[in-house]
Amino acid sequence: MWGPEGLDEIEAGLLGPPEELDGRRVLEIGAGAAQCARWLAAQGARPVALDLSHRQLQHALRIGGAFPLVCADAGALPFADGSFDLACSAYGALPFVADPVQVLKEVRRVLRPGGRFVFSVTHPIRWAFPDEPGPEGLSVSASYFDRTPYVEQDEEGRAVYVEHHRTIGDRVRDVVAGGFRLVDVVEPEWPAWNTSEWGGWSPLRGNLIPGTAIFVCERG
């Protein structure tokens, strides 16, 4: 799944035709519990699931899967140049780093020439609206151009969650600065079958404003 709308890779084919995933070396970045890597392995691919959070990878280990789990920083990937055919990231890593270009450069480095990197993030327009699923979430409450990070702190004032806002233009420039060619930007529409409502996600909002942006990039 590329995002809460429910667009799946079988339908989207952003990594290429599903039948061509067999045997491909794929790096999942910001893998969390490695749901995407698990799906890729089921298609015959050879995934590696990478995440900075050891706890998330413990969840992945408990769920199971015959593929490597790697705890590492996406900005300093512990792999040789050209190690992978494809890379993917569904709501992982990119929104949570202050220097996304460094991550993109690292992903480019470990991809073979012509390799594809597909990543999804919360659509930047969502930052201008309250994170509410009902009508109150349809009125602009902040500047789209305010790039102040969202930060949650513990009782000692330590940051425990940080998410960085980038505009669509920022993301495009980041992709280019990272050495990629931008092939497509996909903005999934909310499907009629998805009646789920959780957090700031709902059919009401999803039918009016985009919630996810997917960037399809290729290494030259």
Side-chain angles (χ1 to χ4, degrees):
M1 291 288 182
W2 287 109
E5 294 84 2
L7 178 66
D8 62 36
E9 177 57 15
I10 290 178
E11 176 187 356
L14 302 180
L15 292 171
E19 63 273 13
E20 294 183 9
L21 290 173
D22 189 26
R24 293 292 186 95
R25 300 163 297 165
V26 188
L27 176 62
E28 184 186 4
I29 298 162
Q35 294 94 327
C36 296
R38 203 167 288 109
W39 179 87
L40 286 161
Q43 312 311 306
R46 296 159 52 200
V48 172
L50 179 140
D51 202 285
L52 183 63
S53 170
H54 183 258
R55 180 173 293 181
Q56 285 289 340
L57 293 176
Q58 283 181 313
H59 292 316
L61 188 62
R62 186 182 69 251
I63 296 169
F67 49 83
L69 304 174
V70 178
C71 188
D73 186 340
L77 297 173
F79 307 109
D81 297 359
S83 297
F84 296 94
D85 301 302
L86 299 163
C88 63
S89 184
Y91 278 75
L94 270 299
F96 310 109
V97 296
D99 187 0
V101 173
Q102 175 59 28
V103 173
L104 287 158
K105 287 180 177 179
E106 275 293 276
V107 176
R108 182 186 184 280
R109 179 183 64 78
V110 302
L111 281 175
R112 62 168 175 77
R116 176 169 286 200
F117 176 40
V118 183
F119 68 92
S120 63
V121 296
T122 300
H123 198 290
I125 195 62
R126 283 287 180 109
W127 283 77
F129 295 84
D131 196 24
E132 298 288 343
E136 63 274 23
L138 298 178
S139 298
V140 172
S141 62
S143 171
Y144 171 75
F145 300 102
D146 183 358
R147 295 167 177 82
T148 304
Y150 170 76
V151 180
E152 294 179 2
Q153 298 177 322
D154 62 17
E155 294 179 354
E156 282 75 42
R158 293 172 299 195
V160 294
Y161 180 91
V162 179
E163 189 168 350
H164 296 267
H165 171 47
R166 309 287 285 165
T167 67
I168 282 284
D170 291 338
R171 291 286 181 204
V172 170
R173 286 184 286 274
D174 290 346
V175 166
V176 174
F180 282 97
R181 179 173 68 91
L182 184 62
V183 175
D184 198 2
V185 178
V186 180
E187 299 166 293
E189 296 187 39
W190 194 274
W193 60 261
N194 190 346
T195 59
S196 299
E197 181 177 307
W198 57 275
W201 300 89
S202 67
L204 174 66
R205 296 213 323 155
N207 283 316
L208 295 173
I209 57 174
T212 298
I214 310 170
F215 295 82
V216 183
C217 320
E218 287 184 352
R219 175 185 170 175

